[in-house]
Amino acid sequence: MGITHSILITGGAGFIGSHLTRLFVTKYPEYTIVNLDELTYAGNLENLNDIENHSNYTFVKGDINDASLLKSLFDKFQFTAIIHCAAESHVDRSITDPLAFVKTNVLGTVNLLHVAKEHWKNDLEHKIFYHISTDEVYGSLGSEGFFTEETAYDPRSPYSASKASSDHFVRAFHHTYKLPVKISNCSNNYGPFHFPEKLIPLCIHNIINNKPLPIYGKGENIRDWLFVEDHVRAIDTIFHHGKIGETYNIGGHNEWTNIALVLELCKQMDIKLGRAAGTSEQLITYVKDRAGHDLRYAIDATKLKNELGWMPSLQFEEGLSKTIDWYLSNSDWLNNVTSGEYQQYYKGMYG
Ligand code: NAD
Ligand code: DAU
């Protein structure tokens, strides 16, 4: 018999956090799951409508920087584990407002580490502090090679610098205080509930509304895309079977240039929307490149496959089709998240 965990998930109302929370609440009814989320522009309780009444689930609105709130939650729920997803996650926003990224991603993570260390200091057995991180900490690749767990950190955007810093703090708490940590660094996720500031949902939203599809630079940058449900399945595997103190890379073995990806999206959406072939690709518009735009990310996930048996389950074309279908059948969700603040953000970014 394994442990009956009481788990604090941070950022559980965001994109990846909501898929993770749903998986843990439904797969482990014997676990207590507490979702702490500040509900920034990226957090949305509509992402969790289907599980909000489950008896093993509690939502708490709050900031990971609030030490007294964290302490009271530790006292009340006696957490045995934390899965830390809360973050500012969008590279473009980090270019405009780097301090917000330092506050949540660096200071917030250190605050969480500190409270966990204090609460667990007399009994570290069976505790887990699992930090969710990104492949962007490794920097940018040329046309060849992959990021492994041994690749030296070389973050190049304020977002990736803040995530790299948080990873370093997590390792420092393990080394200095023996805090039982795990880290995973994942490539680009896509799927339902993805906020339409990121490339794929932004383009789906714009194709539906016949708006330009903004491609930064020449569209030649490469990302390694993974369906979000495959990511949270990997987190489940690492949480339960990964070794304390270890890092695991998670990736899709699925590299696409941005332009090839958007062309595939246009092709699939023309069919699904009953438009003539070639209609949506006419919306493609090349715009000013992102400052410091990393050329290529690609993950070598051999360690995760060999040690823990995880592999991606979906082909990209199939995952993309499922994703488009979800957005087409959830127009209320899409309309809600693209009204209000999103309009100002969009004008500021794209004119
Ligand atoms: P997201 O932006 O969709 O969600 C972030 C969540 O954190 C939101 O619900 C937000 O309200 C919450 N949050 C932000 N600041 C907070 C604070 N101070 N206190 C409490 N809650 C706060 O992000 P995501 O894409 O789901 O990413 C989740 C994690 O996974 C992040 O750590 C990110 O770096 C990492 N990651 C993301 C990807 C990706 O492709 N999206 C890939 C690899 C790793
Ligand atoms: O690699 C993992 C990372 O993937 C995560 O850590 C981040 O949280 C997540 O946001 C994502 O970062 P990217 O910057 O790669 O994702 P984004 O969707 O913003 O951009 C994907 C690519 O598309 C990138 O090369 C920039 C480009 N792009 C993006 C937008 C929003 C465009 O060409 N036009 C756009 O409008």
Side-chain angles (χ1 to χ4, degrees):
M1 265 298 273
I3 303 171
T4 303
H5 278 290
S6 172
I7 307 178
L8 174 64
I9 296 181
T10 68
F15 168 47
I16 295 169
S18 61
H19 286 275
L20 180 72
T21 302
R22 175 174 302 100
L23 177 70
F24 271 62
V25 165
T26 54
K27 186 171 174 188
Y28 304 106
E30 70 281 19
Y31 288 5
T32 299
I33 307 292
V34 177
N35 168 13
L36 173 66
D37 195 299
E38 196 187 6
L39 298 182
T40 66
Y41 78 92
N44 185 353
L45 289 179
E46 282 183 46
N47 299 358
L48 294 163
N49 279 344
D50 54 332
I51 57 152
E52 66 184 2
N53 293 323
H54 281 235
S55 59
N56 63 337
Y57 172 69
T58 304
F59 172 72
V60 178
K61 181 175 176 342
D63 186 345
I64 54 168
N65 281 291
D66 183 343
S68 60
L69 171 64
L70 288 179
K71 281 179 201 145
S72 70
L73 292 176
F74 264 88
D75 286 340
K76 181 166 175 196
F77 292 99
Q78 294 297 320
F79 298 123
T80 55
I82 296 175
I83 308 180
H84 178 32
C85 298
E88 289 292 338
S89 69
H90 191 37
V91 173
D92 292 323
R93 291 188 192 247
S94 82
I95 294 168
T96 319
D97 184 9
L99 277 179
F101 286 67
V102 174
K103 182 170 168 279
T104 290
N105 300 359
V106 185
L107 296 178
T109 301
V110 177
N111 192 43
L112 201 55
L113 284 163
H114 182 68
V115 174
K117 165 181 100 61
E118 286 302 299
H119 198 86
W120 290 341
K121 66 183 171 195
N122 295 324
D123 181 13
L124 289 171
E125 210 182 342
H126 302 310
K127 305 296 191 299
I128 304 172
F129 188 108
Y130 184 173
H131 179 57
I132 305 303
S133 194
T134 170
D135 61 358
E136 300 200 12
V137 299
Y138 298 121
S140 180
L141 292 163
S143 55
E144 296 197 347
F146 296 91
F147 296 134
T148 72
E149 289 80 0
E150 275 72 47
T151 302
Y153 275 31
D154 183 22
R156 293 148 47 101
S157 73
Y159 164 68
S160 54
S162 69
K163 291 297 291 187
S165 172
S166 65
D167 291 11
H168 288 319
F169 272 105
V170 172
R171 291 197 182 95
F173 269 66
H174 177 61
H175 185 76
T176 310
Y177 309 110
K178 309 285 176 261
L179 194 74
V181 308
K182 301 182 184 189
I183 300 179
S184 55
N185 296 80
C186 189
S187 64
N188 286 60
N189 285 216
Y190 70 98
F193 302 111
H194 205 184
F195 192 78
E197 63 186 350
K198 310 279 167 62
L199 180 68
I200 291 179
L202 184 144
C203 287
I204 293 175
H205 180 235
N206 286 10
I207 291 171
I208 293 171
N209 293 292
N210 275 307
K211 284 173 58 181
L213 307 177
I215 306 293
Y216 296 162
K218 295 182 178 157
E220 287 168 354
N221 304 68
I222 294 172
R223 297 291 182 265
D224 171 3
W225 293 93
L226 179 69
F227 193 62
V228 61
E229 288 177 10
D230 276 336
H231 184 191
V232 300
R233 203 167 41 76
I235 295 173
D236 180 16
T237 302
I238 293 165
F239 179 84
H240 287 99
H241 306 291
K243 290 194 197 117
I244 293 295
E246 292 283 317
T247 294
Y248 297 88
N249 279 355
I250 309 171
H253 260 293
N254 176 44
E255 294 182 48
W256 287 73
T257 61
N258 293 336
I259 187 63
L261 185 159
V262 172
L263 285 169
E264 172 66 25
L265 186 64
C266 289
K267 189 179 90 186
Q268 289 203 20
M269 287 201 65
D270 281 344
I271 296 167
K272 289 177 194 288
L273 293 168
R275 296 178 183 168
T279 306
S280 297
E281 69 179 68
Q282 287 168 25
L283 297 168
I284 290 174
T285 309
Y286 291 93
V287 299
K288 188 166 172 281
D289 208 354
R290 173 184 279 174
H293 197 172
D294 286 340
L295 178 65
R296 173 171 168 255
Y297 306 142
I299 280 278
D300 178 347
T302 308
K303 177 177 175 182
L304 186 55
K305 180 178 168 215
N306 288 352
E307 291 187 13
L308 303 180
W310 176 90
M311 293 220 298
S313 71
L314 274 188
Q315 288 296 315
F316 184 63
E317 289 81 351
E318 190 189 346
L320 196 60
S321 171
K322 278 177 80 161
T323 303
I324 299 167
D325 289 345
W326 185 86
Y327 280 92
L328 292 177
S329 355
N330 286 276
S331 48
D332 284 351
W333 184 93
L334 197 51
N335 292 338
N336 288 346
V337 300
T338 52
S339 59
E341 195 264 353
Y342 182 81
Q343 296 296 328
Q344 272 86 53
Y345 168 78
Y346 200 89
K347 267 197 203 107
M349 269 298 296
Y350 300 100

